[in-house]
Amino acid sequence: MSNSSTSDLLKPFKLKTKQQELLISILCLVYILAFITRLFSVLRYESMIHEFDPYFNYRTTLYLTQHGFYDFWNWFDYESWYPLGRIVGGTLYPGLMVTAALIYRLLHFLRFAVHIREVCVLTAPFFASNTTLVAYFFGKEIWDSGAGLVAAILIAVCPGYISRSVAGSYDNEGVAIFALLFTFYLFVKAVNKGSLAWGLASAFGYFYMVSAWGGYIFIINLIPLYVLVLLITGRYSMRLYVAYNCMYILGMLLAMQIRFVGFQHVQSGEHMAAMGVFFLMQVFYFLDWVKHMLSDTKLFQEFLSITVTCAVAAGGIALGVGVASGYISPWTGRFYSLLDPTYAKDHIPIIASVSEHQPTAWSSFMFDFHILLFLFPAGLYFCFKRLSDATIFIVMYGLTSMYFAGVMVRLILVATPAVCLISAIAVSATVKNLTVLLRSKNKVAQIGSTKGTSSAKASSKASLDQSQPFQKNGAMALLFGAFYLLSRYATHCTWVTSEAYSSPSIVLAARGAHGNRVIFDDYREAYFWLRQNTPPDAKVMSWWDYGYQITAMGNRTVIVDNNTWNNTHIATVGRAMSSYEDEAYEIIRSLDVDYVLVVFGGVTGYSSDDINKFLWMVRIGGGVFPVIKEPDYLVNGEYRVDKGAAPKMLNCLMYKLSYYRFGEMMTEYGKPPGYDRARGVEIGNKDIKLEHLEEAFTTSNWIVRIYKVKPPNNRW
Amino acid sequence: MEAWIRARVTLALTLFALLFFVSRSSPPRQFVISNAERRIDLSSHIINVHLTLKVENTGTRPASEVVLALTPTEVDHLAMVDALAIKGKRKKTTSVHLEVKPTELPDAPPIDAKYFTIYLADPLNSGESTTLEVLYVFMHFLEPFPAEIAQSESQLVFYHDTALILSPYHIKQQTTFIKTPSTKVESFIRVEPTNRVGTEIKYGPYEDCPPYSISPIHVHFENNSPFAVVEELVQEIEISHWGNIQVTEHYTLVHAGARHKGVFSRVDYQSRQFSNGASSFRYLLARLPARVHSVYYRDEIGNISSSHLRTNSLKSELEIEPRYPLFGGWKATFVIGYGLPLQDFLFESSDDKRYLNFTFGCPLIGMVVDKLTIKVVLPEGSTDPSPVVPFPVEHRLEAKYSSLDVIGRTVVVLEKKNFVPMHNSHFQVYYTFNPIFMLAEPLMLASAFFMFFVACVAYIHIDLSIRK
């Protein structure tokens, strides 16, 4: 080998590596950016678990690391849903906990002595970083590597995703969005390649998604829909057949290993679409084969009509029989509420009572997507311009998820990756077109100046350019405009992350009179008091929002928690809270409750307290026990707590527990005692006497109040 | 209540009467105590008893062992006993520390008692006399009565003792002063002559008390000082030769006074601070070494935001507030951690060993510790550790795996029960350490990264495809 030949060999390699180096370094930076932009809450507050559900996840992860997988899988939790208990292993998606426990084990194996809490806190940012990589590869698959890079950058800071993946937000979604996008990517890759290996990989991706989040339903309905669309538009191919069959069959079998999902893939209405499409695929394949065998087209047409009719009829009959016999369960309320946004309000108040299940306001779209909202249609335009199997997929993903995002606030999360990818296509395609325009003109000018002779095409283009003298400037301006918009996007995202999405909601922070930071740590004060100073077997009754936190931080048994699997039980608590004290006392005794916990914001002006949630308790309680009627608590349809409030309102247990001895309290200068700062009124009942309960603990800012249930009086 | 006290008193008096008849014989009757003065300080829940004894050798031979007697209940609550010999006349006195050891007396004493022997520095010749000062420190000795109080009540406690000093020797003259924290004394038993002035109750002087004479008394008085007790303190001192000592202290704090009963009302607690929850406490003060850094204060569920750190060149003070005020029987657990510069605490001894010189004790001021465990985590690779502690402790060795440890670190565990602030003193842990071990962990990390990059380079340059 001579020197020159090696250098010839190296030349393209070098160019390639330079590009690769740039690419890899950009990806590394995006990876790091995605991680650190989610650390605001750790820097502002501390490394802690946020919100409500993450506390359950944290508690189960702790259990998993302490007791091992089998104990975790067979765990019967006595501390929640007293006296029913909860079969934890069979009623959760274990993906998140197992992931965190594995990371924890790995780090300990590598001799990094970290606490499991740190692992849990940083799991979501870590997976967000991984999502950026997946977004890059996905973008590369559907468009080109430029679009992939832009997609990675957009998704790294997109507020819609950050809202669920800041450090400490240790929730299923943090891992699930990664799994969702990864599954989609693998499936699209499988469709493009027609390879069994990618199909297998997507089946495993699907399995991970099933193990992590209930949102897998979206995958198992979107993919069949996509396949159906391809079939209808005549894009059926062997690649599709291989990819879908492999993914569906293996994914289904794997998903059955998750106890919470079980046989739902063959038994529940939500999963039937996938099965129907699966059979349709077989019919298509069969028809293809028959077409191949039969040369006579007329005969085939007849055969086709007969087979399709038969197949559809058979499928319909099977479905009908399945539903009628109860083998196939009908759609659940949650599924209905997705298709019909008003359904939950009328039928399932417990779903409607959660703020993140409300229909999305326009402002929150703007807040979470910013310029992506405008880039999204542009991206759709580019996708339609260059239709392929992959772009059809992303278009369908984008459109369906946007619909769901409109139905429920929290499903903006599912739409985010699609919006980012489609917007990335718009950005990448636009910028590429503009730069090509700028560069080609230079090139032409160069060629013209150096060689003098140019091809007819080039000269015609040059003349075209000359005919449009403003084109270059226009392109420059557009390019700058794009960069300006993108930089605005980056600033907006950072601002939103730091201001809106990085508060743990356990610790409340406010600005004091002198501009100093005041911290209200009342929740933990109360939970820690429960943990230390009540009997270990004490039962605590509170509204279900605080159930997970009480069991995780207070380590005490609760009556209801955020799992909300038993509506009657929650309604019983709602009924107790909205009854008079002596009626409530009987319910409390029957539930064997020792302590009652209420959250009260009247002193601090904290507005998401139990009095403001109280109407939902009435509604949910009244949904099961018709004794509780919502109008009893309202005056002319108005909800109030001052002197003009309804008499039942002024004497119900929740009112009494919230405002007990509040009438003596001066909250604000210049206002009468008993002035409720959260609602801005003087309370209506200042002389509250408690007969069966006694104040056991009130936190320093009165946010959490705990009452002890007295034993029944002696009868003689 | 009355009946109960009466029963106790009757019992005690019968015992007392019996004793007068039985008392004879027993320990070496060489000494006579010519004058004894006892001052009992009841102002906090740590009880200090200062006993000044003038001991005279009336025997024929020189003797050097003076025996002190305590009742078994006293011994159970005894945290510390210390003796000094006073020499010289007024204003020119010097004191010499004397050794005190628990002993058993061979002949059965007439009363159930436990003994401590003071070993005099120079034997006392026949006919000579000397002055001894003895300090007893008792903990958990005050009995709250009533045992449960409501938020607005103040805490009353019983103190049980005897008006006559329990001693195996004849005492010619003795006086006892009891100092109470306030003038609020509910009741006390008189053994004439008894005199109460202000916060002080004086028993005596009593003349010519035979050995083992006792006269049970009790004082029932108000004591609202915080009964803060650390049930368990585990202090971990981790030495890193890279320049830092990391101290982590795990506390289990309890209010050991009268139990809180019934309602806790925040509005009363906030608006009427003095009449409400008088015996409860909110603030604790920890005195940390100077140049302390990265201090944290947290518990199992996260950081506790209510703490203040004040530092100056001599000492650092950390004021901490548990999450909630502690009433009787309430508990709180928390962790305090801080870093210290290595050069302030680690020294090299002459024989090429290194030693850590650190305070044996609890940084929280005025705190009684039921069980104190100090774990000194030596750097990986250090050998033959040996602790030097000025008082008897249990010690053992453990191993600990911290970050990037392969063979584990040696941990010297020292355990002391019934720790009171008077125990605070320095202790040393000697060990040998080869500085080469300091490089082990950086080298491990560096090689891991090196391997990773080599793998990357190899991956980029090697073409693994089957087809060309």
Side-chain angles (χ1 to χ4, degrees):
Chain A
M1 275 280 186
S2 67
N3 248 351
S4 61
S5 68
T6 47
S7 66
D8 281 350
L9 267 174
L10 275 176
K11 215 171 188 179
F13 183 72
K14 260 185 186 162
L15 198 75
K16 211 180 156 197
T17 47
K18 218 163 213 174
Q19 256 184 0
Q20 263 181 348
E21 265 169 27
L22 197 64
L23 184 78
I24 288 173
S25 48
I26 290 176
L27 277 181
C28 283
L29 286 177
V30 171
Y31 194 87
I32 295 167
L33 172 73
F35 193 83
I36 58 173
T37 192
R38 286 162 168 83
L39 298 185
F40 272 111
S41 63
V42 172
L43 299 179
R44 290 256 169 84
Y45 295 90
E46 59 184 279
S47 158
M48 69 185 290
I49 309 286
H50 293 188
E51 305 263 344
F52 302 103
D53 285 16
Y55 270 95
F56 171 74
N57 300 331
Y58 174 58
R59 179 168 162 247
T60 44
T61 313
L62 208 61
Y63 191 91
L64 173 60
T65 48
Q66 284 167 355
H67 297 88
F69 186 74
Y70 283 98
D71 276 356
F72 168 71
W73 207 228
N74 297 318
W75 183 16
F76 185 83
D77 181 16
Y78 298 94
E79 288 202 345
S80 57
W81 292 95
Y82 183 84
L84 308 169
R86 176 180 176 188
I87 308 159
V88 174
T91 57
L92 53 49
Y93 294 101
L96 178 72
M97 298 93 192
V98 172
T99 309
L102 282 179
I103 296 175
Y104 174 74
R105 288 273 157 81
L106 178 74
L107 287 176
H108 272 252
F109 175 74
L110 294 176
R111 298 275 178 234
F112 289 102
V114 291
H115 193 271
I116 181 69
R117 187 189 56 247
E118 318 295 344
V119 176
C120 292
V121 165
L122 297 179
T123 298
F126 172 63
F127 272 90
S129 293
N130 294 339
T131 310
T132 59
L133 289 188
V134 177
Y136 164 71
F137 286 110
F138 204 176
K140 194 177 163 192
E141 191 63 31
I142 53 176
W143 203 258
D144 57 15
S145 73
L149 267 186
V150 178
I153 295 166
L154 291 181
I155 206 167
V157 291
C158 185
Y161 185 25
I162 284 183
S163 67
R164 290 307 181 121
S165 62
V166 290
S169 151
Y170 179 56
D171 213 345
N172 291 335
E173 288 94 325
V175 171
I177 291 304
F178 164 76
L180 179 93
L181 202 62
F182 197 47
T183 312
F184 283 155
Y185 162 65
L186 291 171
F187 184 71
V188 167
K189 190 99 185 167
V191 172
N192 278 350
K193 285 247 160 71
S195 110
L196 211 54
W198 287 104
L200 186 69
S202 73
F204 275 100
Y206 177 65
F207 170 61
Y208 186 55
M209 176 68 191
V210 173
S211 76
W213 194 34
Y216 77 89
I217 295 275
F218 180 61
I219 299 187
I220 202 65
N221 282 302
L222 180 66
I223 286 183
L225 191 66
Y226 163 65
V227 172
L228 198 66
V229 166
L230 287 192
L231 291 185
I232 290 169
T233 52
R235 284 175 167 269
Y236 170 79
S237 65
M238 201 58 200
R239 291 177 285 117
L240 185 67
Y241 182 82
V242 169
Y244 183 70
N245 284 342
C246 175
M247 188 262 164
Y248 177 65
I249 294 293
L250 281 171
M252 179 173 75
L253 289 176
L254 285 169
M256 284 180 184
Q257 311 310 310
I258 306 296
R259 274 172 68 198
F260 194 26
V261 177
F263 291 113
Q264 280 186 32
H265 275 78
V266 290
Q267 285 188 341
S268 110
E270 285 111 37
H271 301 73
M272 280 304 125
M275 188 178 271
V277 168
F278 171 69
F279 284 120
L280 204 63
M281 284 290 267
Q282 312 312 318
V283 172
F284 249 77
Y285 186 73
F286 177 67
L287 287 174
D288 230 29
W289 178 70
V290 170
K291 192 179 175 184
H292 180 70
M293 298 306 263
L294 288 177
S295 44
D296 189 353
T297 44
K298 213 174 187 181
L299 212 61
F300 175 70
Q301 285 295 333
E302 260 173 47
F303 182 77
L304 179 72
S305 58
I306 293 170
T307 334
V308 168
T309 326
C310 284
V312 170
I317 289 169
L319 193 67
V321 168
V323 172
S325 63
Y327 178 76
I328 297 172
S329 64
W331 288 353
T332 57
R334 273 170 198 270
F335 200 71
Y336 266 121
S337 64
L338 275 181
L339 299 180
D340 173 12
T342 57
Y343 181 83
K345 212 172 182 181
D346 302 334
H347 296 89
I348 330 168
I350 208 154
I351 290 181
S353 75
V354 182
S355 62
E356 62 185 21
H357 290 166
Q358 305 300 324
T360 317
W362 277 110
S363 59
S364 55
F365 271 117
M366 194 58 210
F367 196 64
D368 278 355
F369 289 140
H370 200 240
I371 59 160
L372 302 189
L373 210 55
F374 306 108
L375 291 174
F376 180 65
L380 286 181
Y381 164 74
F382 280 109
C383 286
F384 275 113
K385 236 175 99 176
R386 202 174 99 180
L387 269 187
S388 68
D389 288 357
T391 47
I392 289 179
F393 181 83
I394 197 68
V395 166
M396 291 194 57
Y397 175 26
L399 291 177
T400 47
S401 62
M402 270 310 242
Y403 167 73
F404 289 128
V407 175
M408 264 192 201
V409 176
R410 75 164 177 169
L411 292 182
I412 281 190
L413 181 71
V414 175
T416 306
V419 172
C420 287
L421 278 164
I422 293 175
S423 309
I425 290 174
V427 172
S428 168
T430 318
V431 171
K432 207 169 209 172
N433 286 350
L434 293 175
T435 44
V436 163
L437 211 66
L438 285 176
R439 286 176 114 190
S440 67
K441 208 163 56 180
N442 289 348
K443 218 178 222 169
V444 167
Q446 238 177 24
I447 289 166
S449 66
T450 49
K451 286 190 178 169
T453 56
S454 53
S455 68
K457 206 180 172 186
S459 64
S460 72
K461 203 170 183 185
S463 62
L464 195 80
D465 286 344
Q466 275 161 9
S467 67
Q468 292 172 328
F470 298 115
Q471 195 175 20
K472 187 185 170 187
N473 293 340
M476 284 296 277
L478 280 176
L479 213 53
F480 275 116
F483 280 120
Y484 174 72
L485 274 180
L486 287 175
S487 62
R488 293 300 307 165
Y489 172 73
T491 359
H492 171 81
C493 292
T494 317
W495 176 77
V496 167
T497 311
S498 89
E499 293 297 316
Y501 291 140
S502 292
S503 156
S505 93
I506 291 279
V507 181
L508 312 167
R511 292 263 160 234
H514 309 291
N516 53 329
R517 193 149 165 262
V518 184
I519 285 184
F520 299 127
D521 204 355
D522 286 40
Y523 280 108
R524 288 194 294 187
E525 182 182 342
Y527 297 145
F528 205 64
W529 183 86
L530 276 176
R531 188 189 188 105
Q532 297 286 339
N533 301 315
T534 56
D537 60 345
K539 272 74 81 179
V540 183
M541 183 174 95
S542 71
W543 191 236
W544 61 265
D545 295 21
Y546 316 107
Y548 278 165
Q549 292 179 350
I550 294 172
T551 37
M553 285 196 272
N555 197 18
R556 290 295 174 265
T557 309
V558 292
I559 307 295
V560 291
D561 66 26
N562 311 42
N563 189 230
T564 64
W565 63 273
N566 189 327
N567 192 30
T568 317
H569 218 49
I570 291 179
T572 313
V573 173
R575 183 184 172 184
M577 291 297 190
S578 39
S579 305
Y580 293 124
E581 195 192 346
D582 44 352
E583 293 162 14
Y585 183 64
E586 275 176 26
I587 300 170
I588 286 172
R589 292 290 307 167
S590 71
L591 286 173
D592 198 14
V593 170
D594 300 305
Y595 291 91
V596 181
L597 181 146
V598 294
V599 172
F600 172 62
V603 175
T604 47
Y606 171 60
S607 62
S608 53
D609 65 348
D610 277 350
I611 288 285
N612 280 359
K613 290 175 185 169
F614 182 59
L615 274 191
W616 286 111
M617 300 183 204
V618 172
R619 272 175 213 153
I620 292 168
V624 177
F625 305 102
V627 230
I628 306 293
K629 294 183 193 68
E630 193 179 332
D632 290 351
Y633 301 87
L634 303 174
V635 178
N636 301 328
E638 201 186 345
Y639 179 64
R640 47 201 298 188
V641 294
D642 56 359
K643 279 212 169 60
K648 182 133 198 202
M649 177 72 206
L650 290 178
N651 288 297
C652 69
L653 187 70
M654 177 51 78
Y655 192 94
K656 279 185 154 185
L657 296 188
S658 290
Y659 291 119
Y660 179 65
R661 299 198 69 180
F662 182 64
E664 304 166 31
M665 175 92 176
M666 289 292 288
T667 50
E668 215 168 299
Y669 184 73
K671 292 281 196 283
Y675 178 77
D676 184 333
R677 293 176 69 185
R679 281 152 288 272
V681 289
E682 186 184 350
I683 58 166
N685 184 358
K686 288 192 186 174
D687 183 36
I688 296 172
K689 296 266 184 299
L690 287 174
E691 197 183 335
H692 303 292
L693 291 106
E694 63 181 18
E695 188 179 2
F697 187 71
T698 298
T699 57
S700 45
N701 300 301
W702 290 56
I703 290 178
V704 184
R705 310 195 70 180
I706 302 171
Y707 292 84
K708 191 177 192 307
V709 180
K710 285 190 203 165
N713 287 332
N714 282 336
R715 289 184 198 193
W716 295 284
Chain B
M1 177 183 153
E2 274 300 312
W4 180 77
I5 294 176
R6 200 169 297 145
R8 272 185 86 138
V9 170
T10 350
L11 187 78
L13 285 178
T14 352
L15 204 71
F16 179 53
L18 259 172
L19 282 172
F20 262 117
F21 296 108
V22 186
S23 63
R24 350 140 249 119
S25 74
S26 144
R29 283 298 185 69
Q30 283 174 317
F31 294 110
V32 164
I33 296 170
S34 52
N35 190 7
E37 187 189 283
R38 187 167 57 150
R39 290 185 178 274
I40 302 169
D41 183 4
L42 301 180
S43 52
S44 77
H45 68 306
I46 302 170
I47 298 172
N48 295 329
V49 177
H50 285 274
L51 189 63
T52 313
L53 301 172
K54 196 162 184 213
V55 184
E56 195 180 335
N57 191 348
T58 53
T60 47
R61 285 167 291 132
S64 62
E65 297 180 5
V66 182
V67 178
L68 302 169
L70 288 173
T71 62
T73 29
E74 282 174 332
V75 172
D76 286 346
H77 296 110
L78 183 70
M80 165 174 192
V81 52
D82 199 13
L84 296 173
I86 306 293
K87 291 195 174 153
K89 289 270 152 50
R90 257 168 225 288
K91 301 231 169 161
K92 277 190 190 168
T93 54
T94 49
S95 55
V96 180
H97 215 271
L98 298 176
E99 197 185 0
V100 186
K101 273 187 182 165
T103 40
E104 300 269 324
L105 286 193
D107 43 355
I111 183 169
D112 199 7
K114 302 259 166 116
Y115 300 97
F116 288 87
T117 306
I118 302 176
Y119 297 90
L120 299 179
D122 314 307
L124 205 61
N125 288 327
S126 171
E128 276 183 351
S129 68
T130 183
T131 307
L132 298 176
E133 276 207 359
V134 184
L135 169 72
Y136 297 115
V137 180
F138 297 105
M139 49 195 273
H140 298 307
F141 202 50
L142 295 176
E143 179 197 354
F145 191 87
E148 287 190 334
I149 55 169
Q151 187 181 347
S152 58
E153 291 169 341
S154 60
Q155 177 172 267
L156 301 174
V157 292
F158 262 126
Y159 174 70
H160 297 283
D161 202 349
T162 136
L164 305 176
I165 298 164
L166 182 67
S167 170
Y169 305 114
H170 186 89
I171 304 178
K172 284 183 180 160
Q173 191 188 33
Q174 58 170 305
T175 333
T176 296
F177 299 91
I178 297 180
K179 187 172 176 296
T180 56
S182 68
T183 52
K184 285 187 187 159
V185 177
E186 293 282 304
S187 68
F188 63 98
I189 287 186
R190 290 176 170 273
V191 179
E192 294 304 335
T194 304
N195 191 11
R196 183 182 153 212
V197 180
T199 60
E200 201 170 67
I201 304 169
K202 182 183 176 192
Y203 285 93
Y206 306 109
E207 311 278 338
D208 281 327
C209 302
Y212 296 114
S213 49
I214 56 170
S215 160
I217 53 161
H218 72 242
V219 186
H220 190 202
F221 61 101
E222 184 190 74
N223 187 340
N224 277 328
S225 70
F227 278 40
V229 173
V230 177
E231 283 189 333
E232 193 174 2
L233 167 60
V234 180
Q235 189 182 43
E236 196 178 86
I237 303 161
E238 189 165 338
I239 303 168
S240 158
H241 277 249
W242 288 97
N244 189 38
I245 292 181
Q246 181 64 38
V247 185
T248 318
E249 294 163 352
H250 298 261
Y251 290 88
T252 311
L253 184 73
V254 70
H255 187 302
R259 294 186 64 82
H260 177 71
K261 171 179 78 178
V263 176
F264 165 72
S265 168
R266 178 67 72 171
V267 72
D268 286 342
Y269 185 75
Q270 277 173 342
S271 56
R272 291 175 271 277
Q273 280 276 354
F274 291 100
S275 63
N276 257 282
S279 65
S280 71
F281 59 91
R282 282 179 78 176
Y283 299 99
L284 300 167
L285 193 67
R287 192 156 290 154
L288 304 178
R291 302 218 281 154
V292 67
H293 64 88
S294 24
V295 182
Y296 64 84
Y297 168 48
R298 56 176 297 136
D299 59 24
E300 292 144 291
I301 61 171
N303 180 51
I304 308 171
S305 47
S306 42
S307 62
H308 301 280
L309 180 69
R310 288 183 289 270
T311 50
N312 60 31
S313 58
L314 292 174
K315 63 173 193 293
S316 312
E317 278 186 340
L318 177 70
E319 190 187 69
I320 59 175
E321 190 182 335
R323 288 191 187 271
Y324 39 84
L326 267 87
F327 280 81
W330 288 12
K331 271 189 182 182
T333 56
F334 54 88
V335 181
I336 297 176
Y338 46 92
L340 296 167
L342 185 73
Q343 65 268 28
D344 293 5
F345 299 94
L346 195 76
F347 306 97
E348 255 178 80
S349 69
S350 51
D351 53 344
D352 237 23
K353 278 189 151 194
R354 286 148 208 274
Y355 69 96
L356 171 84
N357 187 25
F358 207 78
T359 315
F360 195 103
C362 167
L364 290 181
I365 290 171
M367 203 61 74
V368 162
V369 185
D370 288 354
K371 188 182 172 196
L372 173 63
T373 310
I374 293 186
K375 295 182 174 180
V376 181
V377 183
L378 302 175
E380 201 175 22
S382 45
T383 45
D384 19 285
S386 61
V388 179
V389 190
F391 41 82
V393 290
E394 283 177 40
H395 94 269
R396 60 172 194 278
L397 293 181
E398 273 179 6
K400 187 198 169 189
Y401 290 90
S402 185
S403 282
L404 297 176
D405 285 355
V406 179
I407 51 174
R409 303 181 182 209
T410 315
V411 184
V412 183
V413 185
L414 308 168
E415 274 184 6
K416 169 96 182 103
K417 291 217 166 84
N418 289 356
F419 183 91
V420 286
M422 296 77 185
H423 278 118
N424 273 347
S425 56
H426 284 86
F427 75 102
Q428 292 81 30
V429 176
Y430 289 83
Y431 63 96
T432 33
F433 178 74
N434 191 345
I436 203 81
F437 279 104
M438 280 169 71
L439 292 175
E441 289 176 2
L443 280 179
M444 252 163 61
L445 273 183
S447 51
F449 274 101
F450 180 71
M451 301 280 268
F452 175 71
F453 288 128
V454 165
C456 284
V457 168
Y459 176 75
I460 288 176
H461 284 274
I462 294 171
D463 187 4
L464 285 175
S465 60
I466 299 167
R467 281 171 297 193
K468 274 286 171 193

